[in-house]
Amino acid sequence: MAGEKQICKNCETEFNADFNFCPNCGQKAKDDLTIGVLFYNTISNYFSFDARFFKSVIPLLLKPGYLAKTFVQGKRLLYLHPAQLYLFVSVIFFFILSITVVNRQVETLDNTLQKTAGKPLFSETEENLAKLVDTAQVDSVMQVLKEKNPEIAKQTNLKSIDSLIKAENGNQSLKKGFTWGFDQKKIDSLIAIDAPKSEIYKAMGMSDDASWFSKKIHAQLLKLYKQRNGGQLLKAVYDTIPISLFILLPIFALLLKMFFYKRGPYAYHLVFSFYFYSFLFTVFSIMLIANEIVKIPGFINFLFMLSTFIYLLIAVKRFYEKGWFNSFFKTSLITGIYFLFVIPIAAIILTLVGFMSF
């Protein structure tokens, strides 16, 4: 009815009852709390998950460069903001990655390390025989062993004995599989008697005048050796990737700025990068889900990866308004520099940070 008033539950402003939203704070007039409202508001507030998201997905996937060009031209309310789209899509991607790839790899690595890292280099039989004979005697000793005790002979590796004899100290490190790079028996004995960590580090090869960084490396290596949790190390590396992308993405935009320096300020190239990375995360998410449902042949996955370069090429041509040859040449150079220099350096840094923090 005309003239009726209602009070906003948020700011307590009085306004007409036929208003759908409070004219002061903008809160919905009749906003009954339901499960749907709760989760919609949460997603909408933190990820801007509204109608603009659905309007943005189709052009993001099918019209390379369109969203970036539209945004820099000033049409900034029709589609989702590039940073918001990137944030939302990246969260979805890393969630899918964690439940499909990361958890499986962590478990596999832990199991492998538990099974192989603690195995002795050689069997006791091989070590004892190596101490008693020289290389010239191996064949004759093995012949006698086969006649006297065939079962032990079957368990004895002739090549292993020969390698042990030829080693300078009779204990050549020819371990099949993972090797720690230090004397495990000595480290195990020091751990068993609860020796000071400084003594254990020296037994691992750390010098007396080691730097803080070297001490930290040895401390983490000892932690990994004692816990055999290589999977957690891998998980720590994966956990650093989302943070690293806040550095890698601006570097990609910087490369674009270097090759297309006349095409607007750095912010223009950053907008392009946000939308391109959003496309990458969307495609990779689709690939992960598809591979979980059906085992996709390798060449199909390769075509998916190739499509990202083709997408980038078309996006560059449309956004920077260059010819096909110019676009292809610069896109190839940017991609080459990024994969040959930026990503390898980033991978090394990620592994180091993950190792130091796991």
Side-chain angles (χ1 to χ4, degrees):
M1 294 176 61
E4 288 188 4
K5 302 289 184 178
Q6 62 176 320
I7 298 176
C8 176
K9 297 178 181 179
N10 180 56
C11 65
E12 299 183 353
T13 298
E14 187 178 61
F15 56 91
N16 292 335
D18 56 348
F19 284 9
N20 293 322
F21 297 91
C22 171
N24 182 52
C25 69
Q27 177 168 294
K28 195 173 182 179
K30 297 178 180 179
D31 193 18
D32 296 332
L33 185 61
T34 63
I35 296 296
V37 169
L38 175 64
F39 282 99
Y40 175 83
N41 288 342
T42 301
I43 296 174
S44 177
N45 289 336
Y46 288 97
F47 301 107
S48 291
F49 187 84
D50 53 25
R52 290 180 299 161
F53 172 79
F54 296 103
K55 289 181 181 179
S56 303
V57 169
I58 299 302
L60 175 70
L61 295 177
L62 302 181
K63 301 175 71 173
Y66 174 79
L67 290 179
K69 190 171 184 177
T70 300
F71 189 85
V72 299
Q73 286 176 345
K75 300 177 181 178
R76 297 172 184 174
L77 294 179
L78 183 60
Y79 300 106
L80 198 59
H81 190 281
Q84 293 171 330
L85 180 62
Y86 166 79
L87 177 61
F88 180 77
V89 174
S90 64
V91 168
I92 297 298
F93 167 73
F94 284 108
F95 172 74
I96 296 173
L97 182 69
S98 66
I99 63 176
T100 56
V101 176
V102 177
N103 292 341
R104 190 158 51 236
Q105 289 184 354
V106 166
E107 183 178 357
T108 300
L109 184 57
D110 275 339
N111 292 337
T112 301
L113 197 58
Q114 291 285 351
K115 291 178 182 178
T116 62
K119 290 184 178 179
L121 299 180
F122 304 94
S123 68
E124 291 185 12
T125 302
E126 292 165 357
E127 290 181 344
N128 292 333
L129 284 174
K131 294 175 183 178
L132 296 174
V133 301
D134 56 32
T135 302
Q137 296 174 306
V138 171
D139 289 331
S140 58
V141 171
M142 284 298 298
Q143 185 62 36
V144 173
L145 188 60
K146 289 178 181 178
E147 295 176 358
K148 300 293 185 180
N149 199 325
E151 290 301 320
I152 294 181
K154 289 180 181 179
Q155 302 173 10
T156 305
N157 190 317
L158 183 62
K159 292 182 179 180
S160 296
I161 299 173
D162 194 52
S163 298
L164 282 165
I165 297 168
K166 291 178 180 178
E168 291 182 1
N169 58 1
N171 190 27
Q172 186 180 12
S173 183
L174 295 174
K175 190 174 190 178
K176 301 175 183 178
F178 184 84
T179 178
W180 291 97
F182 51 75
D183 188 340
Q184 290 181 232
K185 292 182 179 179
K186 185 175 181 179
I187 299 301
D188 288 342
S189 63
L190 290 173
I191 293 174
I193 63 173
D194 199 21
K197 289 185 178 179
S198 58
E199 186 176 345
I200 300 176
Y201 296 157
K202 290 181 180 179
M204 294 169 65
M206 189 183 76
S207 60
D208 293 330
D209 58 345
S211 63
W212 173 89
F213 182 75
S214 178
K215 291 178 181 178
K216 182 64 175 179
I217 289 291
H218 283 82
Q220 292 299 95
L221 185 59
L222 178 60
K223 179 181 177 181
L224 178 62
Y225 177 76
K226 292 169 68 175
Q227 298 180 2
R228 298 292 202 274
N229 58 351
Q232 295 306 310
L233 171 58
L234 180 63
K235 189 175 185 302
V237 173
Y238 273 117
D239 288 343
T240 62
I241 294 178
I243 300 174
S244 70
L245 287 172
F246 282 99
I247 300 174
L248 290 176
L249 190 149
I251 292 176
F252 182 77
L254 181 61
L255 289 174
L256 290 171
K257 175 62 178 177
M258 291 169 58
F259 281 88
F260 300 99
Y261 60 92
K262 293 182 179 179
R263 185 64 168 86
Y266 176 72
Y268 280 40
H269 309 282
L270 200 56
V271 167
F272 180 92
S273 301
F274 273 126
Y275 280 123
F276 177 62
Y277 268 70
S278 298
F279 166 78
L280 289 179
F281 286 140
T282 303
V283 170
F284 293 156
S285 298
I286 294 172
M287 288 176 61
L288 289 173
I289 295 174
N291 275 284
E292 284 296 307
I293 298 174
V294 180
K295 184 63 179 178
I296 298 178
F299 78 94
I300 298 295
N301 286 320
F302 172 76
L303 291 178
F304 262 104
M305 298 301 296
L306 181 61
S307 71
T308 61
F309 175 80
I310 297 174
Y311 179 97
L312 177 60
L313 171 60
I314 298 173
V316 164
K317 182 185 182 303
R318 290 178 176 174
F319 183 76
Y320 294 104
E321 299 177 344
K322 300 294 183 181
W324 280 110
F325 177 79
N326 185 296
S327 300
F328 177 78
F329 178 72
K330 292 185 177 181
T331 301
S332 299
L333 279 179
I334 292 170
T335 304
I337 293 172
Y338 200 69
F339 276 94
L340 292 177
F341 297 101
V342 178
I343 290 183
I345 293 173
I348 294 172
I349 295 174
L350 283 178
T351 303
L352 183 60
V353 172
F355 178 75
M356 299 292 277
S357 62
F358 87 100

